[in-house]
Structures are given as structure tokens and as C-alpha cells.
Amino acid sequence: MPRTKLIAANWKMYKTPDQTRDFFRDFLPLVSGHERDEIVVCPPYVDLAAALEAARGSNIAVGAQNLHWKEVGAFTGEISAAMLLSLGVTHGIVGHSERRQYFGETDDTVNLRLKAALEAGLTPICCVGEVLEEREAGLTDDVLRRQCVRAFRAISAKKAARLVVAYEPVWAIGTGKTATPELAAEAHAVIRSEAGEVFGEEFAARMRILYGGSVKPENAAALMAQEEIDGALVGGASLEPKSFAAIVKY
Ligand code: 13P
């Protein structure tokens, strides 16, 4: 069974609700009727309502960039999976390297968020990836295995059914340096083999692994041609309707 590719936009801290509506106005006609791949847009929280409204009835799903593991509570500034679902959000990014780098995200909190997302019925996009020093020291496989094992801890294959992983080498994010398709595919194979250890081979064969890190219209086709690569998580190039549409239609 071939895996349906998932092309996701991570807008990071860009765009207001008005700019979100403008994006969808221009983007929707460019990808209408595109059934080959799943398309997800993950805007900042304040834009979710505008994105959901604009995407209603279309082939585009809306995701959040983070979520807290508790349903409710005294957690100032946090948003729960239940809250996202109540809006109509279906996907959630978990453990992005920028959260790990700047906001104290650890393998343990990634695990908590992942469990909460799966429990609630969201499709989590769980990010893993090595930093440059780790790659240069030959530690990439170890880092990926460690991040996966810890993120997947105490989750059953049944619960994990919706899980999507994104391989985002930190040195390729926002730098214009893309991993070569071969390098990315190698890392994906490591992630898939770790998922096989934890959840079983059958699960791993079905699990989608996205590549993220300077994906652009010019390199999308070569990356997507790799059998191991099941889609993309796109930052900068997803902010512009034409360039994101070109990636979706690689
Ligand atoms: P860029 O596409 O801007 O490199 O960002 C990648 C990313 O972090 C997506 O989550």
C-alpha cells in the first residue's frame, strides 16, 4: 500500500488573521481538486479560526503548531488538544526544533504532548532532527533513535495509528541548506526502523515520515521522489500561496 503524501505548511510566527484570509483566497484556487496528497496548513493560534473558516469545504486541513498535554488547568498561555478539536483543528505539530531550542521542550514533554494529541484524536506531526554538531560528530542515527524512542514511550501501536513523524535536520531549517534527497532518505530509514522496533514492522511500513528543512518549489520533486519521503513540512516557502502551491503540486 503506497503511503499518501502529506504536505504541511508551518507558518511559525507569521501572518495575522487578515493575512491568513488573503493567503487562502489566493491559495485555494491553485490547489482545488488536488487529491493526490493531503494538504495541511498550521498557522499561529490566533489565525486558526480564520483559516478554518477560509478552508471550509476545501481539500485543506488546519493544524496547530503546538498543544499542551492537559485538557484544562492553570497553565497560562497554553492551549489544549481538546480546545483545538473544538475549533475543528485536526492536526498538531509536536516537538518542533524551535520549541526544543528556545522554549525548553524536552524529549519528555514531546512524549506528553504526543500522547495527549493521539488520545484526543488529533493527527500529531512529531518533529525530530539532529543539530549540525551532532551530524558532524557522526551522531545523527543515535540522536534520531533517542528522540523517537523517548517520544514514542508508553504509546501503543493502536493509539499511535495517526502518528506522523517529520525529520527536520536543524541545520537545514531556514538556512537554505537542504539535506540531499539521499541523506534525508537515510535518516527516514533510521526513524522507520526505530518505529518498527517500538510499534512493529507493519505499523512502521504504514507510518508517514515528512521531510522539513528549506523545502522549496525547486527541490520538492527530487525530495518527494524518494520512496522513504512521505511528504514535507514547509516553513518559509509555505507563506506565499504560489510557492506553497508549487510544492504541493511538485
Ligand atoms: P524552512 O522551510 O523555513 O526551512 O522551515 C522548516 C521548518 O522548520 C518547518 O517546520
Side-chain angles (χ1 to χ4, degrees):
M1 267 279 284
R3 298 178 290 263
T4 304
K5 285 194 173 28
L6 193 164
I7 314 290
N10 173 11
W11 283 359
K12 309 193 179 186
M13 200 173 74
Y14 290 96
K15 294 193 192 293
T16 62
D18 277 344
Q19 291 167 334
T20 299
R21 283 183 274 273
D22 289 349
F23 174 92
F24 276 90
R25 183 197 57 219
D26 297 340
F27 181 63
L28 285 174
L30 298 176
V31 296
S32 78
H34 183 91
E35 302 289 346
R36 183 191 57 187
D37 314 284
E38 263 178 67
I39 311 169
V40 182
V41 174
C42 304
Y45 289 130
V46 295
D47 302 325
L48 287 171
L52 284 158
E53 170 76 30
R56 187 170 300 151
S58 78
N59 51 342
I60 297 158
V62 175
Q65 295 176 16
N66 191 19
L67 55 107
H68 194 262
W69 51 91
K70 294 281 191 181
E71 205 169 322
V72 291
F75 300 107
T76 302
E78 293 296 315
I79 309 272
S80 73
M83 290 169 172
L84 295 169
L85 275 163
S86 76
L87 269 187
V89 168
T90 49
H91 294 67
I93 299 172
V94 165
H96 191 279
S97 64
E98 285 149 18
R99 304 241 28 115
R100 295 179 190 252
Q101 247 182 311
Y102 308 128
F103 302 103
E105 187 84 79
T106 65
D107 290 333
D108 290 333
T109 55
V110 171
N111 174 246
L112 290 170
R113 291 183 212 279
L114 197 54
K115 279 197 268 201
L118 290 166
E119 201 71 51
L122 284 175
T123 297
I125 302 175
C126 178
C127 303
V128 296
E130 80 288 1
V131 299
L132 186 61
E133 299 77 60
E134 291 165 335
R135 173 156 289 272
E136 286 176 341
L139 295 172
T140 300
D141 292 8
D142 294 347
V143 169
L144 295 177
R145 286 189 184 277
R146 189 204 71 218
Q147 288 177 338
C148 287
V149 137
R150 294 195 182 163
F152 302 162
R153 198 176 47 217
I155 300 174
S156 68
K158 188 158 175 265
K159 275 272 155 63
R162 289 194 175 82
L163 172 66
V164 176
V165 173
Y167 169 58
E168 298 211 312
V170 178
W171 48 270
I173 295 178
T175 57
K177 277 191 220 156
T178 327
T180 61
E182 294 73 23
L183 211 73
E186 267 172 38
H188 284 215
V190 171
I191 293 166
R192 200 176 299 288
S193 107
E194 198 55 50
E197 302 262 317
V198 178
F199 300 122
E201 296 305 323
E202 211 180 299
F203 179 98
R206 280 197 312 264
M207 188 182 84
R208 292 181 292 180
I209 306 177
L210 318 183
Y211 168 78
S214 297
V215 176
K216 308 278 177 229
E218 304 79 62
N219 58 27
L223 286 159
M224 296 307 128
Q226 290 285 333
E227 202 194 315
E228 266 296 341
I229 301 184
D230 307 313
L233 183 54
V234 189
S238 73
L239 293 168
E240 220 273 306
K242 275 201 190 116
S243 80
F244 189 48
I247 293 170
V248 166
K249 297 188 182 158
Y250 60 87

